[in-house]
Short mmCIF file of all heavy atoms in Angstrom, two decimals:
data_model
loop_
_atom_site.label_atom_id
_atom_site.label_comp_id
_atom_site.label_asym_id
_atom_site.label_seq_id
_atom_site.Cartn_x
_atom_site.Cartn_y
_atom_site.Cartn_z
N ILE A 1 8.83 13.49 18.54
CA ILE A 1 8.77 12.05 18.38
C ILE A 1 7.26 11.68 18.54
O ILE A 1 6.73 11.73 19.64
CB ILE A 1 9.55 11.27 19.35
CG1 ILE A 1 11.04 11.76 19.36
CG2 ILE A 1 9.52 9.80 19.11
CD1 ILE A 1 11.76 11.49 18.00
N GLY A 2 6.60 11.42 17.42
CA GLY A 2 5.14 11.41 17.43
C GLY A 2 4.46 10.04 17.56
O GLY A 2 3.24 10.03 17.64
N GLY A 3 5.24 9.01 17.58
CA GLY A 3 4.61 7.67 17.69
C GLY A 3 3.64 7.50 16.50
O GLY A 3 3.86 7.91 15.37
N ASP A 4 2.49 6.91 16.84
CA ASP A 4 1.49 6.58 15.76
C ASP A 4 0.30 7.52 15.80
O ASP A 4 -0.87 7.17 15.53
CB ASP A 4 1.05 5.16 15.90
CG ASP A 4 2.04 4.11 15.49
OD1 ASP A 4 3.15 4.60 15.13
OD2 ASP A 4 1.76 2.91 15.53
N VAL A 5 0.57 8.85 16.07
CA VAL A 5 -0.48 9.87 16.06
C VAL A 5 -0.62 10.50 14.71
O VAL A 5 -1.68 10.47 14.09
CB VAL A 5 -0.23 10.95 17.12
CG1 VAL A 5 -1.20 12.07 17.07
CG2 VAL A 5 -0.20 10.33 18.51
N LEU A 6 0.47 11.04 14.16
CA LEU A 6 0.47 11.76 12.90
C LEU A 6 1.51 11.24 11.99
O LEU A 6 2.71 11.14 12.40
CB LEU A 6 0.70 13.27 13.20
CG LEU A 6 0.71 14.22 12.08
CD1 LEU A 6 -0.68 14.34 11.35
CD2 LEU A 6 1.13 15.61 12.52
N PHE A 7 1.16 10.97 10.74
CA PHE A 7 2.16 10.44 9.78
C PHE A 7 2.20 11.45 8.59
O PHE A 7 1.38 12.36 8.50
CB PHE A 7 1.69 9.10 9.25
CG PHE A 7 1.67 8.00 10.29
CD1 PHE A 7 0.52 7.30 10.51
CD2 PHE A 7 2.72 7.72 11.02
CE1 PHE A 7 0.40 6.30 11.42
CE2 PHE A 7 2.70 6.64 11.99
CZ PHE A 7 1.54 5.96 12.19
N HIS A 8 3.15 11.22 7.71
CA HIS A 8 3.22 11.95 6.45
C HIS A 8 1.95 11.74 5.66
O HIS A 8 1.79 10.64 5.07
CB HIS A 8 4.45 11.58 5.68
CG HIS A 8 4.66 12.31 4.44
ND1 HIS A 8 5.29 13.53 4.36
CD2 HIS A 8 4.22 12.07 3.13
CE1 HIS A 8 5.26 13.96 3.12
NE2 HIS A 8 4.68 13.09 2.33
N GLY A 9 1.06 12.63 5.62
CA GLY A 9 -0.15 12.54 4.81
C GLY A 9 -1.18 11.65 5.43
O GLY A 9 -2.12 11.24 4.73
N SER A 10 -1.02 11.20 6.67
CA SER A 10 -1.99 10.26 7.25
C SER A 10 -2.05 10.46 8.76
O SER A 10 -1.37 11.31 9.32
CB SER A 10 -1.58 8.86 6.85
OG SER A 10 -2.58 7.94 7.23
N ILE A 11 -2.81 9.56 9.38
CA ILE A 11 -2.94 9.59 10.85
C ILE A 11 -2.86 8.13 11.33
O ILE A 11 -3.00 7.19 10.54
CB ILE A 11 -4.26 10.22 11.34
CG1 ILE A 11 -5.44 9.48 10.73
CG2 ILE A 11 -4.26 11.69 10.97
CD1 ILE A 11 -6.76 9.91 11.30
N GLY A 12 -2.75 7.96 12.68
CA GLY A 12 -2.72 6.64 13.21
C GLY A 12 -4.09 5.93 13.05
O GLY A 12 -5.12 6.64 13.06
N ARG A 13 -4.04 4.64 12.85
CA ARG A 13 -5.28 3.91 12.76
C ARG A 13 -6.06 3.94 14.09
O ARG A 13 -5.42 4.05 15.21
CB ARG A 13 -5.08 2.51 12.32
CG ARG A 13 -4.19 1.68 13.21
CD ARG A 13 -3.79 0.31 12.59
NE ARG A 13 -4.96 -0.51 12.48
CZ ARG A 13 -4.91 -1.83 12.09
NH1 ARG A 13 -3.70 -2.36 11.72
NH2 ARG A 13 -6.00 -2.58 12.00
N THR A 14 -7.36 3.88 14.01
CA THR A 14 -8.15 3.99 15.27
C THR A 14 -9.08 2.83 15.49
O THR A 14 -10.01 2.81 16.26
CB THR A 14 -8.99 5.25 15.26
OG1 THR A 14 -9.81 5.32 14.08
CG2 THR A 14 -8.08 6.51 15.28
N ASP A 15 -8.84 1.66 14.73
CA ASP A 15 -9.72 0.55 14.79
C ASP A 15 -9.17 -0.54 15.70
O ASP A 15 -9.77 -1.59 15.81
CB ASP A 15 -9.91 -0.02 13.37
CG ASP A 15 -8.62 -0.47 12.71
OD1 ASP A 15 -7.56 0.08 13.08
OD2 ASP A 15 -8.67 -1.34 11.81
N LEU A 16 -8.10 -0.25 16.37
CA LEU A 16 -7.56 -1.17 17.39
C LEU A 16 -8.18 -0.87 18.76
O LEU A 16 -8.72 0.21 19.02
CB LEU A 16 -6.04 -1.04 17.43
CG LEU A 16 -5.30 -1.37 16.14
CD1 LEU A 16 -3.82 -0.96 16.28
CD2 LEU A 16 -5.45 -2.82 15.78
N PRO A 17 -8.08 -1.86 19.69
CA PRO A 17 -8.67 -1.62 21.01
C PRO A 17 -8.17 -0.31 21.72
O PRO A 17 -6.97 -0.07 21.72
CB PRO A 17 -8.21 -2.84 21.79
CG PRO A 17 -8.06 -3.91 20.78
CD PRO A 17 -7.55 -3.23 19.56
N GLY A 18 -9.09 0.49 22.19
CA GLY A 18 -8.70 1.74 22.77
C GLY A 18 -8.58 2.90 21.81
O GLY A 18 -8.28 4.00 22.22
N GLY A 19 -8.75 2.63 20.50
CA GLY A 19 -8.68 3.64 19.50
C GLY A 19 -9.96 4.48 19.44
O GLY A 19 -11.07 4.03 19.80
N ASN A 20 -9.81 5.77 19.07
CA ASN A 20 -11.00 6.69 18.98
C ASN A 20 -10.66 7.71 17.95
O ASN A 20 -9.81 8.62 18.21
CB ASN A 20 -11.24 7.30 20.37
CG ASN A 20 -12.46 8.15 20.40
OD1 ASN A 20 -12.60 9.09 19.56
ND2 ASN A 20 -13.37 7.90 21.32
N TYR A 21 -11.29 7.68 16.82
CA TYR A 21 -11.04 8.61 15.74
C TYR A 21 -11.26 10.05 16.08
O TYR A 21 -10.42 10.91 15.85
CB TYR A 21 -11.88 8.22 14.52
CG TYR A 21 -11.66 9.09 13.33
CD1 TYR A 21 -10.66 8.89 12.41
CD2 TYR A 21 -12.53 10.22 13.09
CE1 TYR A 21 -10.46 9.71 11.32
CE2 TYR A 21 -12.35 11.05 11.99
CZ TYR A 21 -11.32 10.81 11.08
OH TYR A 21 -11.10 11.60 10.03
N THR A 22 -12.41 10.34 16.69
CA THR A 22 -12.72 11.73 17.06
C THR A 22 -11.72 12.32 18.02
O THR A 22 -11.26 13.40 17.89
CB THR A 22 -14.15 11.82 17.68
OG1 THR A 22 -15.06 11.26 16.75
CG2 THR A 22 -14.49 13.24 18.01
N GLN A 23 -11.32 11.47 19.00
CA GLN A 23 -10.35 11.90 19.97
C GLN A 23 -8.96 12.15 19.31
O GLN A 23 -8.30 13.12 19.65
CB GLN A 23 -10.22 10.82 21.04
CG GLN A 23 -9.26 11.17 22.20
CD GLN A 23 -9.10 9.99 23.21
OE1 GLN A 23 -8.97 8.84 22.81
NE2 GLN A 23 -9.22 10.28 24.46
N LEU A 24 -8.60 11.30 18.40
CA LEU A 24 -7.28 11.42 17.72
C LEU A 24 -7.26 12.74 16.95
O LEU A 24 -6.28 13.55 17.00
CB LEU A 24 -7.05 10.27 16.79
CG LEU A 24 -5.71 10.27 16.06
CD1 LEU A 24 -4.55 10.20 17.00
CD2 LEU A 24 -5.61 9.15 15.02
#
């Protein structure tokens, strides 16, 4: 159950507060 980390052909957005693209 992955939440908003990994999607089909995509990843969770990282432009919200607390988001970090490199970390994701």
